[in-house]
Amino acid sequence: MSERGHRKTQLGVVVSDKMEKTVVVKVDRLVKHQLYNKYIKRSVKYKVHDEQNVCKVGDRVQIIECRPLSKDKRWSLKQIIESIS
């Protein structure tokens, strides 16, 4: 079985699980301000494919880049790191 090329992974927190087989994951990152050298928190929300509907709001998850699955979904769930139960 051939291995796929290098695919990006991200860590984030599930903020919505209201859709079928889809969760919304918020990924935070720190960016250094060019002039003031202060770190600013930036975030982005990704729609992530969750085949078994196992993620709940508040879970910390690892997501992996995949082929486009719909208009907005380009990420897939790799693993749940910390579950809120």
Side-chain angles (χ1 to χ4, degrees), residues 38-52:
K38 181 178 180 177
Y39 284 96
I40 306 165
K41 188 184 284 189
R42 299 280 184 208
S43 63
V44 64
K45 291 179 185 176
Y46 295 112
K47 288 189 179 144
V48 177
H49 185 66
D50 178 15
E51 184 66 38
Q52 280 85 31

Side-chain angles (χ1 to χ4, degrees), residues 12 18 24 27-28 31 37 40-42 45 52 57 63-64 70-71 73-74 79 85:
K18 294 179 193 264
V24 180
V27 176
D28 292 323
V31 178
N37 294 325
I40 306 165
K41 188 184 284 189
R42 299 280 184 208
K45 291 179 185 176
Q52 280 85 31
V57 175
I63 59 177
I64 190 165
S70 71
K71 179 185 169 189
K73 277 202 285 189
R74 272 97 174 111
Q79 66 177 351
S85 299

Side-chain angles (χ1 to χ4, degrees), residues 6-18:
H6 178 70
R7 296 192 288 172
K8 295 177 190 171
T9 60
Q10 301 270 9
L11 293 174
V13 177
V14 177
V15 292
S16 173
D17 63 349
K18 294 179 193 264

Side-chain angles (χ1 to χ4, degrees), residues 55-69:
C55 290
K56 303 291 178 224
V57 175
D59 289 354
R60 287 186 47 83
V61 295
Q62 184 177 23
I63 59 177
I64 190 165
E65 198 174 34
C66 66
R67 66 182 177 83
L69 299 171

